[in-house]
Amino acid sequence: MPVHNAEIAELFNRLADLLELEDANPFRVRAYRTAARNINGLSHSLVDLLAAGEDLSKLSGIGKDLAGKIRTIIETGKLPLLEQVQARTPAELSDLMKIDGLGPKRVKTLHQQLHISSFEDLQRAARSGKIRALAGFGAKTEALILERLTRSRQADIRSRLADAEDIAGPLVNYLLDCTGVKQVNIAGSYRRRRETVGDLDILVTAKQGTPVTDHFVAYDEVSEVISHGKTRSTVHLRSGMQVDLRVVAQVSYGAALLYFTGSKAHNIALRKLAIRQGYKLNEYGLFRGDKRVAGRTEAAVYAKLGLSYIEPELREQQGEIEAARKGTLPELVSREDIRGDLHCHTRATDGHDSLEAMVAAARKLGYEYLAITDHSKRVSVAHGLDHKRLLEEARRINKLNEQLDDIVVLKSIEVDILEDGSLDLPDSVLGQLDLVVGAIHYKFNLTRKQQTERIIRAMDNPHFNILAHPSGRLLNQRPPYDIDMEKIMQAAVERGCFLELNAQPARLDLTDGDCMLARELRLKVVISTDAHSTGTLDYMRFGISQARRGWLEPDDVVNTCGLDELRKLLKRN
Ligand code: DGT
Ligand code: CA
Ligand code: CA
């Protein structure tokens, strides 16, 4: 089993948390955290680097000791030190640290002062008002803990789409290795490209079921076999993911794919429509009496029902069936429509690759433009740019542009929106850039009214173009800050500004619903990766699928425009 960089980083982060919980040397704790952050930002897989004979201790933040640990993880899948530390930490105590807002320090206080070592203890203490009395907590924190306790338990069950992909990819390859297997497809919410998935629903075509389900339950990563039958089986993987597998015959493959792709609401509506037309629809096909009239492909089933083909991302019972009947479905935006990326970072702040490397990677993707948007000085942890360093970067970009004829590098900044809605750099500096991307990185807890006004005031600045990650949410980690999204979108339309759909798998901010709202208000959206390394420019695909779920067409997306058209849009109204 290949080990992903994210998994390795996760092991080091867990180790750092547990060490901190037991008061280990802070420098040691920090070293593991730094290593995890650097590993997450690498644009190559550590497995590949090791296989190519690279010396891992040359990587930034990775010394000899860490390089050795990484090698052990890759070779054995284990970090022995973590297992030792884990063995001496109560399991529930380490689970408590997963609650947003409860780092190792706070969990330690809760444990020492209130003897809290489980979710139940924590909930009881919060409900009875004991937590607010602790130094450094307060009533507000107590309320947040209660809220997050409920939220994190629901969130824990669903995986981010990108994590699900990491798990699904190798499993699909493994299934394809089984003799007799013709096709393997992942249906369910995964195929509809929802931002999180509950479980994986895998569909396989093969003449005989038993060899396939036998092969499936023998997969290395399986931790528990829930059921094991001739044509269907369910397992849990070591990652915690549940996987349902079904083996179907070729003649009903389309009908089965349709059924197991869902959504359930879409299925029910389709089945009703079929009944009204005198058919019967199930996972084996579309039938008139006993005769199967369609089933081999999804397209054939839709066609027989008088519908145009409905893309999986649209199958949420949000009017898509009606639109398919009238022939008014949107022509969804796709990867080929994208002409450039308008949000990325370089080594000048918290990116991992140089300006030149980022531009080279964007050229390889066939982009016509790339905006470099490093952080502004307020974000000191990312070593944000002051006006001197920003202008220095701008000069380097000018030079680079003189040498390039197939891509234009746009000078930009991800400027911090300060608490009063002013921007972190003076207008005289912002005016020298090609575009300005603004973002909130602190003071998440203002009231809805204050936060909304803060953002609109930022857009009042005539240099402001794009609001980055508009809600600030992090999937399974941090709720959105409280804003009036419609009011902000309206204000953007009035001022000629745009909202970003941030394609980071943990953000996907805007949501699909926000995209629909933007389309209704005729506000164009910018799909940006916020890449911090060359490899993650590829996150564009997550942004695209989110946009497709929001019914967006190429015309609804700013960065489907060529450079001239883009420059016009950036001039505001
Ligand atoms: P998830 O796993 O929670 O992210 O969401 P899904 O959509 O993958 O749901 P899941 O795994 O429970 O079921 C996969 C598909 O199977 C679902 O999208 C539609 C279909 N399905 C499941 N249960 C029913 C049902 O009771 N009626 C109908 N018509 N379809 C169902
Ligand atoms: Ca599912
Ligand atoms: Ca399922």
Side-chain angles (χ1 to χ4, degrees), residues 188 198-202 232 234 242-244 246 260:
D199 70 355
L200 294 174
D201 305 281
I202 302 189
R232 58 174 299 176
T234 298
Q242 176 175 312
V243 188
D244 289 339
R246 294 173 188 83
F260 292 111

Side-chain angles (χ1 to χ4, degrees), residues 333-522:
V333 64
S334 71
R335 177 63 188 74
E336 295 74 52
D337 298 315
I338 298 296
R339 316 268 288 263
D341 199 330
L342 296 179
H343 186 165
C344 76
H345 297 269
T346 74
R347 232 181 246 162
T349 58
D350 59 349
H352 295 268
D353 292 303
S354 67
L355 167 64
E356 291 74 14
M358 292 301 284
V359 173
R363 283 177 74 194
K364 236 188 230 161
L365 292 172
Y367 286 161
E368 293 167 36
Y369 46 84
L370 175 72
I372 302 294
T373 57
D374 273 313
H375 285 288
S376 68
K377 60 187 192 297
R378 174 66 181 64
V379 190
S380 49
V381 287
H383 198 40
L385 304 180
D386 58 16
H387 77 270
K388 219 177 116 213
R389 287 175 58 223
L390 174 59
L391 294 180
E392 173 56 37
E393 181 169 81
R395 271 192 293 277
R396 279 180 64 196
I397 291 175
N398 286 341
K399 254 208 203 133
L400 196 56
N401 275 330
E402 280 168 23
Q403 301 158 15
L404 296 164
D405 52 12
D406 55 354
I407 187 167
V408 171
V409 189
L410 298 171
K411 288 164 287 189
S412 185
I413 182 92
E414 180 180 4
V415 68
D416 247 62
I417 299 174
L418 304 181
E419 191 181 349
D420 64 358
S422 62
L423 302 180
D424 191 25
L425 287 166
D427 285 3
S428 58
V429 177
L430 299 178
Q432 298 182 49
L433 303 173
D434 294 302
L435 71 148
V436 170
V437 176
I440 284 183
H441 291 114
Y442 74 112
K443 283 279 176 194
F444 292 161
N445 57 354
L446 302 184
T447 65
R448 185 183 181 84
K449 188 159 176 292
Q450 286 170 331
Q451 200 70 284
T452 304
E453 279 171 7
R454 175 188 187 186
I455 292 172
I456 294 176
R457 229 169 294 141
M459 292 197 288
D460 280 339
N461 183 307
H463 301 295
F464 193 100
N465 296 114
I466 299 167
L467 176 64
H469 41 74
S471 86
R473 66 118 177 229
L474 289 177
L475 280 167
N476 290 355
Q477 275 178 41
R478 186 170 77 202
Y481 34 76
D482 199 4
I483 48 171
D484 185 336
M485 187 61 90
E486 183 165 355
K487 203 164 169 190
I488 288 172
M489 287 186 173
Q490 204 75 59
V493 171
E494 284 158 14
R495 288 160 183 75
C497 297
F498 305 103
L499 264 62
E500 172 185 276
L501 192 187
N502 187 297
Q504 292 280 319
R507 288 193 184 271
L508 291 172
D509 179 9
L510 307 173
T511 65
D512 45 11
D514 293 335
C515 290
M516 288 183 181
L517 181 60
R519 188 170 143 94
E520 218 171 276
L521 298 173
R522 300 182 167 278

